Each structure stands twice: as C-alpha cells, then as structure tokens.
Amino acid sequence: MKIVTWNVNSIRARLENITTWLRENHPDVVLLQETKCQNHDFPQEAIEDCGYNIAIHGQKSYNGVAILSKFPLEDISCGLPTFADDEQARYIEAVTNGVRVASVYVPNGGDVGSDKYHYKLSFLAALKDHLKATLLYEEAFVIGGDYNIAPTDDDVNDPKGWHEQILCSTPERKSLRAILNLGYSDAIRLHHHDKGPYTWWDYRSGSWAKDDGLRIDLLLLSPQAVDRLAGAGVDREPRGLEKASDHAPTWCTLL
DNA sequence: ATGGTAGACGATCTA
C-alpha cells in the first residue's frame, strides 16, 4: 500500500501535472496540501477519472487539504478536534483500507516571533494533543503533510543560511520533536540516514537548480504503521517539470 | 533590509 504526501500549491493550476503523475505512479493514497480552492471548485471529476475516491477540506485562496484513495474513505473528519475554532483548512483525517490517514498543512509561520509564528506553535500544540489521543487507538496511522519544519540541520542544504530562521528555529523543532516523542516515527528517516532527501525548493533564487532544498514534508507513522513499513522516498522528478509545485511528492509503502 | 518567484484574485496576501 503506497501512501504519498504532496503539497501541490494549487490543485487547479497543477491539475495536468497531478493527473499525469497519478496515472504513471498509481499510488493507493495521496495526501494533498495547499489545494487553494473551495470545495465546489475542486476538480473532482478529473481526479475520480484517475481512479480515486476523494475527501476534501477546502477554503478560498489559501490552504486546503484533501485525501485521495483507491479504496473507500470512511470516518472522514475535517479540522483538528483539539483546535476547533480554527477557520483555516489545514487538517483532514479518514480511514481507508484499514489504515487511518491524515493530511496536515502546518502553518508556514511567517517570520520567527511574528503573530503567524505563534499561531504555528499553537497549531503544533493542538496537533500534538490530537495525535496523543489517537495513539491510544493502537491503529496503523499515517500523518502525511507539509510540516513546514526541517527536523534537523541534516534536513537542510544550507543550515548556516537557515540558522534560527523560519522552518528551522529551535521552538519549531522542539514542537515537532514533542510529537515524535509521543511514539511516532519519521518514515523517511527510517530509510535514509544521509543528508536530505529534500522535499521543497523555493521558487526564488534558483534553489532547484542548485539543489538548495529542505526536507519539510514528512510522513509520521504510529508504531503499528512502522511495523508494516517497507520503504520510503521522495520523487524529485515532478519538481523539474514545467509548472511544477515547489514541493516534491514524498511516499512510503506499507506491507 | 530587500529581493528573488508563484498562485489566487482582482489590491495585496501568502508562502
């Protein structure tokens, strides 16, 4: 069972790239972030024609998350129950083929110390509370998403340039580590022990050409999911195409 | 301190 997380940076602007990739790679489950449209504007038919069921949680212009699955989607819930007042569409969860999955788009955070930064830390605390509660189900659970945090300097091409900047500041990393310390594992790190692999390259400053990337898209696995983990990786190919998202699809496979 | 690029949307905001 192949599960992918992918920040597509607008599903409508990226529809051709996405459907082509789905037909070539036929993953079982795709966790999308930054769909950037309201539910009634989501290109349902084009995705269904690729063989997927769909669960969406959208909003106008910004954010937006979705789950695509070749299997039926059950127990769909939108938003974090621990962050109920949030009007931003950043979390969706469902059960499919016996696996609980979630797509999360953690706030970017703007500049360190800004209002957006504190909102990011609040969101991460709420995410931790929810994942702590859900761990008690003792299910295979995969939380894929754009966490907007590079866990360590090994996840950054240029750690000096990013030192204590957004995506790399110590409070953000501590918030992520607190989630991992509940008992979740970073799937990519179980299979890759060197620097990288990166998942995001800024559109600006020729970052892709220089491979000046960061690993901020993660798949967190419950212990029951880790027991079934067979592989994990990043598909860099779509990042090099015309009209590419600035993020690459990141995948894992469960036995 | 600013700028570099991209998307939504229709002037800026977000990343």
Side-chain angles (χ1 to χ4, degrees), chain A residues 31 34 39 46 67 80-81 93 102 107 141-142 149 174 184 197 204 212 229 234 251:
Chain A
L31 308 165
E34 281 210 272
N39 289 356
I67 301 173
L80 282 170
E93 181 181 316
F141 186 20
V142 177
I149 302 170
K174 280 189 172 173
Y184 290 92
R204 299 166 288 192
D212 188 14
L229 182 66
V234 177
W251 57 271

Side-chain angles (χ1 to χ4, degrees), chain A residues 113-169:
Chain A
S114 66
D115 288 348
K116 287 180 190 160
Y117 183 76
H118 294 295
Y119 170 73
K120 180 179 194 172
L121 296 180
S122 300
F123 182 94
L124 288 164
L127 179 62
K128 179 192 163 192
D129 290 343
H130 178 59
L131 296 186
K132 181 177 183 180
T134 311
L135 200 59
L136 300 176
Y137 297 168
E138 301 188 344
E139 297 173 320
F141 186 20
V142 177
I143 310 97
D146 176 359
Y147 284 76
N148 267 315
I149 302 170
T152 74
D153 280 355
D154 283 344
D155 303 298
V156 184
N157 174 68
D158 176 20
K160 286 179 183 164
W162 284 91
H163 179 70
E164 292 299 337
Q165 299 298 301
I166 200 66
L167 314 184
C168 298
S169 74

Side-chain angles (χ1 to χ4, degrees):
Chain A
M1 185 177 181
K2 184 171 185 176
I3 302 174
V4 177
T5 182
W6 194 5
N7 178 325
V8 291
N9 185 19
S10 170
I11 188 147
R12 289 178 292 176
R14 217 71 60 206
L15 190 57
E16 279 293 320
N17 285 20
I18 293 166
T19 55
T20 299
W21 190 85
L22 290 176
R23 291 182 193 281
E24 289 176 354
N25 293 272
H26 43 82
D28 297 291
V29 178
V30 186
L31 308 165
L32 298 175
Q33 302 88 38
E34 281 210 272
T35 52
K36 286 189 169 178
C37 66
Q38 298 174 85
N39 289 356
H40 61 77
D41 290 324
F42 193 98
Q44 294 233 18
E45 267 190 44
I47 300 295
E48 286 168 354
D49 288 348
C50 295
Y52 291 93
N53 299 299
I54 303 172
I56 50 178
H57 180 36
Q59 71 175 83
K60 191 176 181 182
S61 303
Y62 305 119
N63 312 314
V65 287
I67 301 173
L68 318 181
S69 179
K70 298 218 167 191
F71 303 97
L73 287 159
E74 302 156 9
D75 293 342
I76 298 164
S77 62
C78 297
L80 282 170
T82 49
F83 208 52
D85 302 346
D86 195 15
E87 75 290 349
Q88 301 189 23
R90 295 183 175 277
Y91 187 88
I92 187 169
E93 181 181 316
V95 175
T96 190
N97 194 31
V99 177
R100 185 172 296 274
V101 295
S103 175
V104 62
Y105 179 44
V106 173
N108 170 281
D111 292 315
V112 173
S114 66
D115 288 348
K116 287 180 190 160
Y117 183 76
H118 294 295
Y119 170 73
K120 180 179 194 172
L121 296 180
S122 300
F123 182 94
L124 288 164
L127 179 62
K128 179 192 163 192
D129 290 343
H130 178 59
L131 296 186
K132 181 177 183 180
T134 311
L135 200 59
L136 300 176
Y137 297 168
E138 301 188 344
E139 297 173 320
F141 186 20
V142 177
I143 310 97
D146 176 359
Y147 284 76
N148 267 315
I149 302 170
T152 74
D153 280 355
D154 283 344
D155 303 298
V156 184
N157 174 68
D158 176 20
K160 286 179 183 164
W162 284 91
H163 179 70
E164 292 299 337
Q165 299 298 301
I166 200 66
L167 314 184
C168 298
S169 74
T170 299
E172 293 169 79
R173 287 177 166 174
K174 280 189 172 173
S175 297
L176 176 62
R177 207 152 58 237
I179 292 172
L180 296 169
N181 287 343
L182 295 172
Y184 290 92
S185 300
D186 178 349
I188 292 283
R189 267 295 162 257
L190 295 178
H191 282 265
H192 301 266
H193 304 292
D194 302 324
K195 220 166 145 61
Y198 308 129
T199 66
W200 173 77
W201 299 259
D202 201 316
Y203 286 123
R204 299 166 288 192
S205 313
S207 299
W208 170 249
K210 293 182 283 190
D211 196 21
D212 188 14
L214 289 82
R215 191 175 72 90
I216 59 176
D217 300 273
L218 312 176
L219 291 150
L220 301 195
L221 271 57
S222 71
Q224 293 77 12
V226 173
D227 287 342
R228 295 172 54 181
L229 182 66
V234 177
D235 183 359
R236 296 167 58 98
E237 193 262 346
R239 181 62 181 86
L241 300 176
E242 289 296 311
K243 295 280 288 179
S245 168
D246 44 351
H247 297 253
T250 300
W251 57 271
C252 70
T253 50
L254 303 186
L255 296 172

